[in-house]
């Protein structure tokens, strides 16, 4: 592990010596920098009417968090909506439609609570990024030994590849729908792969341009699926009952597990802590950090409310059209559009193409954020310094090569849906290797300073994490019991499970040992300072 707790603490927000017990920030000189994005890089300029106090050590502190401002909220708006794409990728869309077709409206309450659990994890990710000025992959590089860091990087890349395959194939399916079957899946994969160069171009134009693109894609999804919702006219009464009344039947357990399992995507946990770096906030200015966190909390909550509504629209449409029908068990991402067309016909705006437009927006937005997350993961864990376009190309190549292979091998409706199940399992397996490091870091005072989460929030976050990991563990067990056959294969799977669980135990125990060692160091420093 590089560095020492003492040296890292100097970069974390500090608790000033205040007899009143108030948290006051260290007022540092503003750094001048060019701002090509209309004040985007430094949204929190110091107001003229702030009261300054001077501590005994001569450092300036701000007396209170600046008041709420709609203008500042707008400047902080962006990272949360990019993060929300992780709740709207084609894998989530398929989970929504299967939940609606098999379980009707009965799992909408679970969708709501799963979104709230995902919101908690993402808010902690943003908290880490703002309070430290570093993102999760960078901090993991400094905190864990080399072998654990490399293994965490590998797990993150595996999860990202699984998500990217789903996203790219989702876009390819949408392109085939919109071209009336003219473009095969593998051609759609090639077309979609070029978005890595689009993100490099937009980054050069400014972060606001990139965020504007995602705003347009999210709006396209919202309008498409809202149009379908209005066209199919689901039961409003049953919808509200589904949201407010918890209910799980024996035949819908698998769909319920899928709803929860799709909420937390590993690469999204890494991504959000990096996205908040686009608004420069000095980690030593405690009140400025708190101000930024307040705005990010509002923005992320609004973004996930939008994502919840889009997921609700999709679930309700398929609940209305296919719940209790013969197609319910066989419906998937590939054939969903054709089932909708058969059910509701053409009209002035055929529902098949509206579905294709919404699916294409979901696929394209998620592939771009996946590429973006891949850059942060690779550069953070491996400390690579390369050109952005080259980093994006390398990251995308990790996913495109296997995606091309599976697109050719699984270019049949049933096979693609089976592939999607395997990919969901693959991503579910990686959740502990993003969530455990996140909760570990936000609980450490030498990293977070005064923004270390309190005991209640820590227990709540770990409860949510354990619940989600248990749900995904059930999904893994159910899947492997159904799919794994033969002694030799079973032996390999058993060995893999032992190694998997051992690494999880290591991450959790490493958290405990580091917390206790830091506490001992801190106590010894206090004793020395008292004696002197």
């Amino acid at each position: 592990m590089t560095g020492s707790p003492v040296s890292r603490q100097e970069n974390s927000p500090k608790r000033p010596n205040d007899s009143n017990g108030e948290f006051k920030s260290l007022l540092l000189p503003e750094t001048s920098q060019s701002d090509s994005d209309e004040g985007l890089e430094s949204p929190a300029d110091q107001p003229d009417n702030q009261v300054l106090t001077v501590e005994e050590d001569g450092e300036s502190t701000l007396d209170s968090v600046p008041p709420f401002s709609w203008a500042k909220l707008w400047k902080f708006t962006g990272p949360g909506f990019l993060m929300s794409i992780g709740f709207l990728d084609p894998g989530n869309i398929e989970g929504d439609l299967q939940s609606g077709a098999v379980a009707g409206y009965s799992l909408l309450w679970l969708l709501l609570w799963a979104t709230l659990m995902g919101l908690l994890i993402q808010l902690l990710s943003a908290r880490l990024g703002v309070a430290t000025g570093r993102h999760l992959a960078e901090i993991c590089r400094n905190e864990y030994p080399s072998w654990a860091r490399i293994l965490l990087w590998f797990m993150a890349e595996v999860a990202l590849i699984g998500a990217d395959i789903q996203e790219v194939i989702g876009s390819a399916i949408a392109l085939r729908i919109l071209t009336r079957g003219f473009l095969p899946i593998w051609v759609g994969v090639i077309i979609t792969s070029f978005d890595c160069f689009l993100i490099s171009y937009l980054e050069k134009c400014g972060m606001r341009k990139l965020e504007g693109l995602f705003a347009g894609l999210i709006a396209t999804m919202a309008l498409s699926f809202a149009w379908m919702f209005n066209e199919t006219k689901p039961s409003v009464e049953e919808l509200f009952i589904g949201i407010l009344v918890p209910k799980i039947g024996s035949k819908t357990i698998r769909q319920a597990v899928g709803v929860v399992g799709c909420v937390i995507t590993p690469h999204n946990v890494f991504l959000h802590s990096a996205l908040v770096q686009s608004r420069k906030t000095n980690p030593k200015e405690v009140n400025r950090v708190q101000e930024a966190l307040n705005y990010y909390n509002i923005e992320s909550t609004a973004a996930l409310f939008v994502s919840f509504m889009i997921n609700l629209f999709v679930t309700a449409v398929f609940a209305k059209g296919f719940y209790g029908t013969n197609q319910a068990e066989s419906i998937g991402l590939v054939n969903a559009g054709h089932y909708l067309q058969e059910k509701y016909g053409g009209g002035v705006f055929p529902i098949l193409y509206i579905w294709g437009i919404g699916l294409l927006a979901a696929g394209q937005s998620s592939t771009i954020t996946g590429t973006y997350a891949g850059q942060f993961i690779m550069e953070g864990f491996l400390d690579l310094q390369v050109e952005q376009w080259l980093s994006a190309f390398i990251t995308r190549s990790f996913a495109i090569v296997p995606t091309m292979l599976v697109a050719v091998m699984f270019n049949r409706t049933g096979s693609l849906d089976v592939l999607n199940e395997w990919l969901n399992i693959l991503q579910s397996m990686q959740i502990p290797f993003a969530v455990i490091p996140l909760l570990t870091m936000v609980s450490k005072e030498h990293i977070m300073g005064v923004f270390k989460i309190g005991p209640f929030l820590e227990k709540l976050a770990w409860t949510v994490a354990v619940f989600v990991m248990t749900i995904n563990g059930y999904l893994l067990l159910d899947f492997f019991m159904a799919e794994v056959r033969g002694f030799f294969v079973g032996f390999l799977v058993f060995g893999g499970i032992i190694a998997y669980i051992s690494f999880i135990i290591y991450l959790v125990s490493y958290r405990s040992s580091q917390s206790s060692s830091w506490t001992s160091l801190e106590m010894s420093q206090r004793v020395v300072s008292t004696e002197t």
Side-chain angles (χ1 to χ4, degrees):
M1 184 170 63
T2 60
S4 64
V6 176
S7 62
R8 283 194 299 274
Q9 189 186 25
E10 295 175 357
N11 295 323
S12 302
K14 297 187 290 184
R15 185 193 305 271
N17 298 323
D18 184 7
S19 59
N20 296 326
E22 297 176 350
F23 293 173
K24 298 181 179 180
S25 67
L26 306 176
L27 180 58
L28 301 179
E30 292 286 335
T31 57
S32 60
Q33 64 180 60
S34 61
D35 187 7
S36 60
D37 261 342
E38 301 177 358
L40 182 64
E41 295 296 323
S42 299
D45 297 323
Q46 180 180 331
D48 297 332
N49 60 351
Q50 281 182 332
V51 179
L52 300 182
T53 61
V54 180
E55 299 296 338
E56 293 178 357
D57 58 3
E59 294 177 309
S60 300
T61 62
L62 293 174
D63 200 56
S64 63
V65 177
F68 176 81
S69 166
W70 287 103
K72 282 188 178 179
L73 177 60
W74 170 247
K75 290 181 179 180
F76 279 101
T77 297
F81 282 90
L82 268 68
M83 169 273 295
S84 71
I85 296 296
F87 292 70
L88 297 169
D89 63 19
N92 284 67
I93 298 298
E94 182 162 35
D96 293 336
L97 68 89
Q98 290 176 341
S99 172
V102 175
Y105 305 94
S106 64
L107 296 180
L108 289 177
W109 68 273
L110 190 58
L111 175 64
L112 173 61
W113 283 100
T115 304
L116 292 176
M117 289 188 289
L119 173 63
L120 174 61
I121 297 299
Q122 295 302 149
L123 291 181
L124 292 178
S125 177
R127 185 186 187 98
L128 178 72
V130 176
T132 64
R134 297 177 293 166
H135 58 81
L136 180 57
E138 290 177 313
I139 297 175
C140 287
R141 185 184 73 231
N142 293 331
E143 290 295 309
Y144 290 108
S146 297
W147 70 269
R149 168 173 55 87
I150 295 299
L151 195 51
L152 284 173
W153 167 74
F154 176 76
M155 294 297 188
E157 288 289 354
V158 168
L160 185 59
I161 289 172
D164 218 8
I165 291 175
Q166 286 182 314
E167 294 154 1
V168 171
I169 289 182
S171 295
I173 291 171
L175 288 173
R176 189 172 72 173
I177 290 173
L178 296 175
T179 59
R180 298 186 177 185
F182 177 76
L183 288 180
I185 296 292
W186 66 270
V187 173
V189 168
I190 294 176
I191 294 173
T192 305
S193 66
F194 285 103
D195 60 22
C196 64
F197 299 104
L198 174 62
I199 191 174
S200 299
Y201 171 76
L202 288 174
E203 280 183 319
K204 292 180 180 179
C205 296
M207 191 64 185
R208 272 301 202 208
K209 304 296 189 300
L210 182 63
E211 292 170 351
L213 171 65
F214 283 104
L217 292 171
I218 292 174
T220 299
M221 278 187 277
L223 291 173
S224 298
F225 297 136
W227 185 93
M228 292 171 56
F229 181 87
N230 182 68
E231 187 75 8
T232 56
K233 295 178 173 56
S235 170
V236 176
E237 180 182 353
E238 291 185 56
L239 187 147
F240 276 104
I241 292 175
I243 293 175
L244 299 175
V245 180
K247 180 182 178 182
I248 295 181
S250 58
K251 296 181 180 180
T252 60
I253 292 179
R254 191 178 184 87
Q255 281 68 38
V257 171
V259 168
V260 176
C262 289
V263 167
I264 299 177
T265 51
H267 71 271
N268 216 31
V269 176
F270 289 98
L271 177 64
H272 200 194
S273 64
L275 290 174
V276 295
Q277 309 292 324
S278 62
R279 277 69 169 167
K280 299 301 181 184
T281 303
N282 194 319
K284 292 185 178 180
E285 297 185 11
V286 177
N287 289 352
R288 293 302 184 185
V289 172
Q290 185 60 59
E291 178 191 35
L293 290 176
N294 292 343
Y295 287 121
Y296 282 132
N297 290 347
I298 296 171
E299 185 238 3
S300 298
T301 302
L304 288 195
F305 173 76
V306 173
S307 73
F308 169 74
M309 292 303 299
I310 293 174
N311 286 317
L312 182 146
F313 288 153
V314 175
T315 303
V317 165
F318 285 88
K320 168 67 175 179
F322 302 102
Y323 177 56
T325 66
N326 294 330
Q327 297 102 323
E329 296 294 337
S330 61
I331 197 167
L333 203 61
V334 180
N335 57 20
H338 296 288
Y339 281 170
L340 286 169
Q341 187 77 354
E342 292 174 3
K343 182 76 174 182
Y344 297 104
V348 179
F349 300 103
I351 196 169
L352 171 65
Y353 299 115
I354 300 297
W355 165 255
I357 292 171
L359 181 59
L360 180 62
Q364 281 300 109
S365 59
S366 55
T367 55
I368 297 175
T369 54
T371 302
Y372 212 30
Q375 292 182 51
F376 291 122
I377 289 171
M378 184 173 64
E379 293 172 1
F381 276 112
L382 304 183
D383 195 21
L384 295 179
Q385 302 298 327
V386 296
E387 293 289 335
Q388 285 186 339
W389 71 267
L390 181 59
S391 176
F393 178 77
I394 295 173
T395 301
R396 176 43 55 91
S397 297
F398 279 135
I400 288 301
V401 173
T403 300
M404 284 294 299
L405 294 176
V406 300
V408 174
M409 294 173 58
F410 293 86
N411 192 15
R412 289 181 292 115
T413 300
S415 297
L416 283 175
D417 288 334
V418 171
L419 171 66
N420 189 63
E421 290 187 24
W422 278 93
L423 293 174
N424 284 335
I425 295 298
L426 181 67
Q427 293 175 76
S428 297
M429 292 176 64
Q430 313 310 318
I431 288 177
F433 309 119
V435 173
I436 293 176
L438 172 66
L439 299 189
T440 298
M441 302 311 164
V442 296
S443 303
K444 288 186 175 184
E445 188 171 0
H446 77 274
I447 292 176
M448 298 294 292
V450 297
F451 293 100
K452 168 184 176 287
I453 60 175
F456 174 77
L457 185 56
E458 183 177 5
K459 290 177 182 177
L460 178 62
W462 276 102
T463 300
V464 168
V466 170
F467 174 72
V468 172
M469 287 187 285
T470 301
I471 288 292
N472 282 283
Y474 171 85
L475 183 63
L476 292 174
L477 182 62
D478 178 69
F479 185 80
F480 283 124
M481 288 182 65
E483 297 294 333
V484 174
R485 293 178 176 84
F487 175 78
F488 181 71
V489 176
F491 179 77
L492 291 179
V493 170
F494 178 76
I497 291 175
I498 294 298
Y500 176 83
I501 295 176
S502 298
F503 190 41
I504 292 176
I505 293 174
Y506 167 80
L507 292 175
V508 175
S509 61
Y510 186 82
R511 166 185 178 270
S512 301
S513 63
Q514 291 301 303
S515 296
S516 59
S517 65
W518 169 249
T519 302
S520 301
L521 176 61
E522 185 180 39
M523 290 299 293
S524 64
Q525 289 176 334
R526 289 178 180 176
V527 170
V528 171
S529 63
T530 302
E531 292 175 351
T532 56

